[in-house]
Amino acid sequence: MKLPVAEASAVPVPGETAARGAGGGMPEGRAQGSPRVQKDVSMERQKAMLAGYFSELAHARETGLKVAYTFVPGNLTELIRAAGALGVYPEVNALQSAMRQKSDGYVREAERLGHNEDVCSYVKCDIGMLAAGNIGPTGEKLPPPDLLLLSYTGCFTFMKWFELLQKEYGCEIAMLHVPYQADGGITEDMRRYVAAQLRDEVIPKLEKVTGKKLDLDELSALLARSARAEDDLVWVLDSARNTPSPIDAYFGGVYYVGPIFTAFRGTLECEEYYQALRQEVAARLDRREGPIMPNGVLAEERFRLVVEGPPNWTHFRDFWRIFYDEGAVVVASTYTKVGGLYDDGFRHGRAEDPLLSLADYCLGCYTNRSLPARVDLLASYVRDFHADGFVINSLKSCNSFSVGQLVMMREVEKKTGVPGGFIETDLVDPRYYSQANIKNRIESYLQMIAQRKGRA
Amino acid sequence: MEAEAIVRRCEALYADLSLGSVREWKAAHPGRPAVGLLPVYVPREIVHAAGALPVSLLGGGDQIDIVKGDASFQSYICHLPRSMVELSLTGRLDALDGFVFPSTCDVIRNLSGIFQMTTRGKYIRYLDLPQAMDEGTGGAFYRRDLVALAAEIARLAGREAPGDEALAESIRRYDRNRRAIAALWAVRAGAPWLVALDETYLLMRAGAVLPVEAHTELVEAYTAAVAGRARKPEDRIRVVVVGAFCEQPPLGLLRTLERSGCYVVDDDLFLGARWVEGDVLALEEGRGSVAEESAAPVDGPKGGPHGPPGSDGGGDPYGALARAYIGKSLVASTRYQPDGRRGEDLVRRVRALKADGVVFAAPSFCDPALLDQPPLQKSLSEANIPFITFKYAENTGQFQSIREQAGTFSDSIKLWGEA
Amino acid sequence: MALFVGVDLGSTTSKAVVLDEGERVLGRGLTNTRSNYDVAAAVARVEALDDARFTLLERALSVGQGARAAELIRALRRAWVVAHCVERLGALGERVVELSGKNGSGKDARAVEQLFAGIEADADAAFGPLSDDRSRFFRDLASARFFADATAAAQEQRLAYDVAASAFDQAIVEVENGEEPSGVDRRLSRALDRAGLAAADRDGIEQAWGRLDGALEVATYVGTGYGRQRLPFPKEQIRSEILCHGLGAHALYPKTRTVLDIGGQDTKAIQLDENGLVQNFQMNDRCAAGCGRYLGYIAEEMNLGLHELGPLALQATRAVKISSTCTVFAGVELRELLALGERRENILLGLHRAILLRAMSLLSRSGGVFEELTFTGGVAKNAAVVHELKSLVAEHYGDRTLNIHPDSIYTGALGAALFAHRGGGEMPVPARGKRAPAIARTGG
Amino acid sequence: MADLVTAGIDVGTGAVKAAIVCSTGVAKTTVLGTHRERLLRRDPGRVAELAYERACQAAGLTRKDVAYVASTGDGDAVAFRDGHFYGMTTHARGATFLLPGARSVADLGALHARVMVIDEQSRVRASRMTSQCASGTGQFIENIARYLGIRLEDVGPLSRSATRAEVCSGICAVLAETDVINMVSRGIPLSEIIRGIHESIAQRLAKLLRMVRAAGPVVLTGGLAADVGLSAEIERALDEDGGPKIEVAAHPLSVQAGALGAALWSAHRLRRLQARGPDAGYLSTPT
Ligand SMILES: Nc1ncnc2c1ncn2[C@@H]1O[C@H](COP(=O)(O)OP(=O)(O)O)[C@@H](O)[C@H]1O
Ligand SMILES: Nc1ncnc2c1ncn2[C@@H]1O[C@H](COP(=O)(O)OP(=O)(O)O)[C@@H](O)[C@H]1O
Ligand code: SF4
Ligand code: SF4
Ligand code: SF4
């Protein structure tokens, strides 16, 4: 799974980081010469949070804190924190590497080590980073894991990824099998199966590595704090129902979900971040202002789009630019639901028991939903957010997301009467991103949408 | 029957993408359904016991034009789902009343959703095989799911859910089938020149569509027939094929492999048919059932591998299947397997079969197979076992590079092997 | 008279269409896209405008001369083309001779010189026939003839084939990319010389021509195609290929609901509404397998002209199954199948079918095939592709009308020209004659 | 041991190579004559005849003087062969013959690239080939060269003359052609374009070499071995990827490695046959 983002170190300013990595991508892929990137205030705040966290990790050895590596979708950060350990999220490291133009080298390194070009580039980026000394996004070394918490949620590759890491580190590994919502719902049986594994497998292993007994009350307190942040996040994402939308729910959205989908769940910092974010967006809404894009506040909202699928990270700003140049704002995206989906009213701590709350959260995340459920969600976004169109960014890396997207597109078209646009990129492998190609498609798509709108 | 005649019969079944034999079975058994099972493993015993014909689906091979399938999948997804969609949308799967999609990988998983949306009115079932390899959690969850699955399929057949006795009988039939296959594998390992890879493969593939009893007979007849073949061993190397457990290579590829100087003494083609090692029910002697309540949230009795001996002595066939899954499955790329056991297992197998090397043949874009390769290859290198690697698709038409690689591989082992 | 010009800068061919105010087609221009887009676009444009001149000239002459005017113009057009080719042949010959001398021997240079002299003497046969099924590109005509003659010469040991072949390959690129059409009047007089018309006819034409020129004025250009970003037009005058193919197909066949376009590097499936507005579209993904270029490789591999592939494939008794449509591997697959004893025709039909299977997938992705289907792009000229398309559409969608216009290759340019007209006449005309740099070279 | 004159015919997708050797036992083997004839869209069978004929001429022999002819590569095109050896087997043998210390071989042909790790007996210990996609092969360079009007022999030197490389997306050989056109239209010098292409191919090859855990020296064989621009980039890619140092070498006869290997194996085979009688069943038989 892939996830959010505020670059922990410097935000890559086009031109500054445009120094070419060894042979990656099309040259015209780099945006040129825009002097300063505009940012939300909340983004600066997030940057500081991340920098602090990575520094905490770098010193985990000295401070005696244990480290658990785990995945973003349906992550168990509150549990890790309650056990007194720190979480590391290899997917986030991979996307950070991509934004700093390092992923190309890492992916190539992994391929040299025998990993196939066909498989997920997140895994390869991580393996490559490991081979290169496991230097995190802030330039500090990441601690090795004491526990690999394999939350097997919505992606098969997770399992292989941590098997590979375990071979590398030889540390403890805990498997949490989260059943798939094949029939579009969570059954009591699934919840109990997940909770039983938490109780019998995950918690004992966490306790073993930390040497401490888990405090369930502490866990409940953390979950309650998450719930408050979740409320604010939902408010922020819902603000895009307004015209013009005060946010971009995809390119901006990946920043908004950053803290809550990673290490900060359940912290006070996180709760405060979302309060502040909400205020910031509320203020923009009052001023009837559009979202802040890399090149400034969007002057005119010409198109409202829904996007399915993660973004490309190696050319994130160039990719965004294509939309910005055409006045296209993303009003809803599914990618900002990978860490957890709150649309059905789920909030942490509502279940009768904290372990069941965690189970509900794991079971509910976006990639754990069946294709028909994903179609319904997309169609409802198109309708409820008054979108003119929807775009699917299909990733070569990711079977979990990509398989079936073409069928989904047709089904959403049928349900909404709105044609979909389809583009193909990759997460962190710059070789699969072609600015010219993507631009051609998006422009053609938007010209078509404009024609349709013009007639209406 | 002569071996050649058996193979011809199997090849006809293999080539019939419209499942004529299933239609015939249904005509002969009015009211009884046929259920398609996707790769890699679904316990066919359950389907059988519920009164349906289990039909394993392994893609469309190289004889079908793909149009709608390609419309549904991007180029970087393996080929199997394309042909499955093509088969389905062109009516070739009409004889089937339902489909079971096991949790093999994200492709098969999402394919289940595609079938939900595109094949209206049919039974579509996702079977979440447990990855928590513990009888108390994974085993119990799985057992409950098997009970539900059996009941659902029985409903398709208009019957009551199969009781323990009915299921036990079905398991026994499949145990017999497993024994017949094991005997054939023993011939392959001992005298590979008596059998050919494409033949054993076709024989296994016949089991995808035939009722188990008929298939067992066929395997036994073939094994008996080849023993009498007057064939001399040729100077070829012995190899194990790894990675072809789901999307199947075309016959031409299998033939090319052997023609370029290899005896394939073991493979994981159509692995689902050989998923459980040994008998399922024999396992039951003196074993308890998988505890029903053990997955209750916080307390409740725990089952598990060391649970108390049960009094039913083999009377819990559902539990037996669950336990077989947890404890007697082959090491497969689609199952969780920590602690480097995959590599150990492969090295052990190669040594036991006295194989000269390993051929990694994986479908393009197959995550389970490809992600396993680097650690497996590392283990082989450490054990000084040579290997070659290539990718294929079920409709690959060019074998030249495979011939070159396999030929050189066999040259390099035999030319210098005796020098 | 105000003209509206659409330019479609494709990956393989560049096309231009000229419309009058009544949206009637006055002229068309077509050239192969070369490694210099700017030259390609300029050549297509000039050819289209020349073609428009002929149309108008014919109209003017037919007032006095009736049917004879058509005959005259036909002769003149033909002479025009041949004269133009001969001019280019001269430049090409010089360069090939020079390079052959440099890389080979004096003997090679002399032999090459003779070859070119022979081709020039035979120019009417080599470049003259304006038949539709043959390539009309100078590059193709010249190289077909040159390689045939060079092979023969090499057989007689008069020439080192390798030397001549690579000299030709190098020279043709230079000549094509450096091409700068001479002035309109010069071209006319050359053509008139060559056409050998009676003095009276010649005078009549010259007078009519003189009256014509002032009347031609391009009001607007609109550009489209793969290389459209390279066109020296402002952003408002660039339209996506999708919209242009849609509109062009609608103009040709107003009842079109589905458009399939197979070009050199991409395949597009487009759905239209009753006004020619695009409802949905799909393009092939990152891999160029199964596009027009694929047929180009096959033709090269078989040493055939592109136009010969289709008819040959239609002689097949069945289609051999082809698995990979990787453009570059097409040749290997072909050879492997030939080695297995498959008939050439059957393999060819299989190759054509493979292309269509991909196209059918795109059609299916875009929503299907609705009444009527219009097939556009260069590949629509291929009879075997059309045949397979018909049968596959019938098989998957039942009875559908299939439209293929003889000028299908111009559909995108036509759409662009329509946009030029409908977009209003006040848009600025692009700066003419902005020359791209000749191919930059360091070292060799 | 009696002198044996044997021939190897390597039928590739770009050219047919023929070599004639005389061996008296491995140590004293001499190359009598070689020839490379580009296919240039001609029938491989006829080109094979021609190449063999020319190689005989170069050796000053007639076909009667040759005791055994082995094919390699697309052997079916060689109607007059006595036997066949697989491509990697022959390239490995040819490479050790050309450079006795060779430990790895990279055979770079028109449509494929394959790398092998070999031992001192030229046995192939590990190998990898590029897959079905032709991005970045000899044919690709040839197409680009034709498109740009550069002679193949000038490609290497031109690339060396560049001071920087223009990065090429390198996914699809066909789409890359368009990329190249774009570059030319943008006024990028040809040398930098070619250098960029070399760089991207070299990186793939370096990756393949690392994947088989190649050790030095690596001998380049096949047609692209003659491309000095590519070999320099391969060396650089290997230097820069942080792996152990590997030397890269090519030999003027590198393009003939497959044919030489086939000729050398022929001698070996013939001696075996003579020693053991007709029933050797020892080497791979023609397929
Ligand atoms: N006379 C012909 N006969 C058959 N095919 C042709 C002919 N002329 C062109 N083509 C095909 O058309 C393709 C070019 O189509 P076109 O629509 O011009 O492409 P693009 O717009 O990408 O340049 C060529 O690759 C070739 O396969
Ligand atoms: N002097 C040269 N410089 C660069 N490349 C060359 C040269 N000579 C041959 N080649 C390349 O070698 C390729 C042919 O190599 P070869 O090994 O003969 O191929 P194959 O065995 O596949 O036919 C051609 O595609 C061409 O690109
Ligand atoms: S396959 Fe997709 S979900 Fe899985 S790890 Fe890769 S990017 Fe994440
Ligand atoms: S071939 Fe591999 S990726 Fe494809 S469905 Fe089968 S297991 Fe999944
Ligand atoms: S080289 Fe062939 S397979 Fe590879 S991307 Fe291009 S057309 Fe597709």
Side-chain angles (χ1 to χ4, degrees), chain C residues 261-268 284-285 287-297 325 327 355 358 362 379, chain D residues 174-175:
Chain C
D261 172 63
I262 307 187
Q265 289 197 354
D266 46 26
T267 303
K268 311 174 202 66
N284 65 306
D285 52 27
C287 167
C291 299
R293 194 76 185 83
Y294 176 75
L295 287 174
Y297 273 80
T325 39
T327 302
I355 293 177
R358 282 182 66 95
L362 278 181
V379 177
Chain D
V174 181
L175 298 181

Side-chain angles (χ1 to χ4, degrees), chain B residues 341-363:
Chain B
R341 259 177 274 147
R342 293 183 192 287
E344 287 166 29
D345 175 72
L346 181 57
V347 169
R348 189 176 44 70
R349 242 175 351 123
V350 169
R351 296 235 161 98
L353 288 162
K354 296 196 172 47
D356 299 298
V358 171
V359 173
F360 286 97

Side-chain angles (χ1 to χ4, degrees), chain C residues 33-35 37 103 161 169-170 173 226 230 265 286 288 293 297 300 303 327-329 332 335 440 442 444, chain D residues 13 40-41 111 132-134 143 146-149 151 158 172-175 177-178 181 184-185 189-191:
Chain C
T33 303
R34 49 213 69 185
S35 43
Y37 276 5
N103 302 328
Y161 182 79
D169 283 344
Q170 184 177 343
V173 173
Y226 197 87
R230 291 282 321 155
Q265 289 197 354
R286 317 252 1 233
R293 194 76 185 83
Y297 273 80
E300 268 177 43
N303 229 343
T327 302
V328 187
F329 271 100
V332 183
R335 240 175 280 154
T442 59
Chain D
T13 42
L40 291 170
R41 309 172 224 167
L111 280 185
Q132 289 292 300
C133 174
N143 288 353
R146 255 183 79 194
Y147 216 96
L148 300 177
R151 290 189 321 144
L158 197 57
C172 167
V174 181
L175 298 181
E177 276 179 37
T178 321
I181 300 173
V184 175
S185 298
L190 294 192
S191 57

Side-chain angles (χ1 to χ4, degrees), chain C residues 39-251:
Chain C
V39 172
V43 171
R45 219 155 56 197
V46 167
E47 284 201 2
L49 286 169
D50 284 352
D51 194 35
R53 284 194 178 90
F54 279 115
T55 308
L56 295 173
L57 190 61
E58 185 172 339
R59 274 190 208 161
L61 289 182
S62 62
V63 177
Q65 311 212 26
R68 224 177 77 79
E71 217 171 287
L72 266 178
I73 296 296
R74 203 172 312 123
L76 186 61
R77 272 177 196 261
R78 189 180 140 146
W80 180 283
V81 168
V82 175
H84 192 191
C85 285
V86 168
E87 186 183 339
R88 282 180 283 190
L89 191 71
L92 179 68
E94 251 171 58
R95 188 73 182 125
V96 180
V97 169
E98 184 188 332
L99 287 168
S100 302
K102 199 169 113 213
N103 302 328
S105 64
K107 183 182 150 205
D108 293 323
R110 279 190 302 281
V112 168
E113 200 166 358
Q114 273 177 10
L115 279 183
F116 273 94
I119 302 176
E120 187 170 344
D122 202 17
D124 283 311
F127 304 110
L130 294 178
S131 100
D132 221 21
D133 57 349
R134 204 168 93 144
S135 170
R136 284 196 277 145
F137 302 143
F138 171 70
R139 162 188 279 249
D140 296 342
L141 296 173
S143 67
R145 182 61 193 261
F146 175 82
F147 281 100
D149 292 359
T151 310
Q155 215 100 58
E156 297 160 22
Q157 311 260 342
R158 285 192 285 127
L159 173 74
Y161 182 79
D162 247 34
V163 168
S166 62
F168 183 91
D169 283 344
Q170 184 177 343
I172 186 82
V173 173
E174 293 176 15
V175 169
E176 279 202 322
N177 284 318
E179 186 171 346
E180 190 153 15
S182 45
V184 154
D185 296 330
R186 195 149 164 250
R187 273 176 286 149
L188 177 71
S189 67
R190 250 181 6 212
L192 286 170
D193 291 347
R194 195 164 191 99
L197 301 176
D201 286 335
R202 185 174 175 138
D203 284 351
I205 289 174
E206 270 172 339
Q207 279 165 22
W209 188 270
R211 283 192 298 275
L212 242 174
D213 221 32
L216 291 176
E217 189 201 328
V218 177
T220 317
Y221 287 98
V222 164
T224 187
Y226 197 87
R228 62 182 181 273
Q229 309 295 354
R230 291 282 321 155
L231 290 168
F233 304 160
K235 192 174 173 194
E236 318 79 68
Q237 279 169 255
I238 303 280
R239 287 286 189 292
S240 82
E241 295 147 274
I242 305 293
L243 297 190
C244 291
H245 276 275
L247 191 58
H250 176 75

Side-chain angles (χ1 to χ4, degrees), chain B residues 10-295:
Chain B
C10 295
E11 187 154 13
L13 289 170
Y14 168 86
D16 179 10
L17 292 174
S18 305
L19 304 175
S21 67
V22 176
R23 286 171 214 274
E24 281 163 28
W25 183 89
K26 286 182 60 164
H29 301 83
R32 290 181 53 192
V35 176
L37 314 175
L38 279 100
V40 175
Y41 171 73
V42 175
R44 294 185 285 180
E45 293 87 339
I46 296 281
V47 183
H48 185 270
L53 177 70
V55 178
S56 297
L57 301 170
L58 291 135
D62 56 357
Q63 289 309 315
I64 171 177
D65 283 340
I66 305 287
V67 170
K68 302 210 164 68
D70 273 344
S72 307
F73 300 98
Q74 304 88 317
S75 55
Y76 38 77
I77 290 165
C78 62
H79 205 270
L80 178 117
R82 296 165 209 278
S83 58
M84 289 312 308
V85 163
E86 194 74 32
L87 288 168
S88 161
L89 296 184
T90 51
R92 288 169 167 105
L93 304 181
D94 286 355
L96 302 176
D97 302 278
F99 299 90
V100 181
F101 295 79
S103 53
T104 296
C105 65
D106 294 337
V107 177
I108 304 266
R109 184 194 75 181
N110 289 8
L111 188 62
S112 73
I114 293 177
F115 269 60
Q116 282 173 344
M117 294 188 286
T118 56
T119 52
R120 308 270 176 218
K122 294 210 173 179
Y123 169 68
I124 307 288
R125 177 58 142 86
Y126 185 71
L127 180 66
D128 218 329
L129 297 164
Q131 295 291 3
M133 290 300 166
D134 172 272
E135 290 186 13
T137 50
F141 171 75
Y142 184 47
R143 187 189 179 286
R144 286 194 298 272
D145 208 18
L146 289 182
V147 172
L149 178 69
E152 291 162 23
I153 295 178
R155 210 170 306 134
L156 280 184
R159 300 184 174 197
E160 290 289 297
D164 285 353
E165 197 31 61
L167 180 57
E169 178 52 30
S170 296
I171 293 176
R172 273 181 219 111
R173 292 186 191 199
Y174 278 92
D175 278 344
R176 255 195 306 280
N177 187 259
R178 280 184 274 269
R179 265 179 251 138
I181 292 170
L184 174 57
W185 247 247
V187 174
R188 293 181 67 181
W193 53 91
L194 293 181
V195 296
L197 175 62
D198 56 338
E199 292 185 1
T200 54
Y201 177 66
L202 285 168
L203 205 64
M204 294 299 285
R205 283 294 296 262
V209 291
L210 288 180
V212 60
E213 301 79 6
H215 183 242
T216 305
E217 263 174 46
L218 216 55
V219 174
E220 286 169 351
Y222 174 82
T223 310
V226 294
R229 274 180 169 168
R231 286 194 188 171
K232 282 195 311 184
E234 285 175 34
D235 180 21
R236 299 198 205 164
I237 60 166
R238 297 164 62 93
V239 299
V240 173
V241 170
V242 174
F245 46 84
C246 179
E247 181 177 325
Q248 304 291 290
L251 282 182
L253 193 153
L254 302 180
R255 289 178 181 139
T256 300
L257 257 188
E258 289 212 320
R259 262 185 222 150
S260 44
C262 304
Y263 282 127
V264 177
V265 291
D266 191 13
D267 61 61
D268 59 2
L269 295 157
F270 190 11
L271 187 67
R274 299 187 298 116
W275 185 269
V276 174
E277 280 183 301
D279 289 344
V280 170
L281 271 183
L283 191 80
E284 283 311 283
E285 306 302 327
R287 294 294 309 272
S289 64
V290 172
E292 260 293 326
E293 312 75 39
S294 63

Side-chain angles (χ1 to χ4, degrees), chain D residues 102-118:
Chain D
R103 280 301 163 271
S104 312
V105 184
D107 166 23
L108 313 174
L111 280 185
H112 64 263
R114 46 193 180 203
V115 300
M116 309 147 234
V117 173
I118 60 173

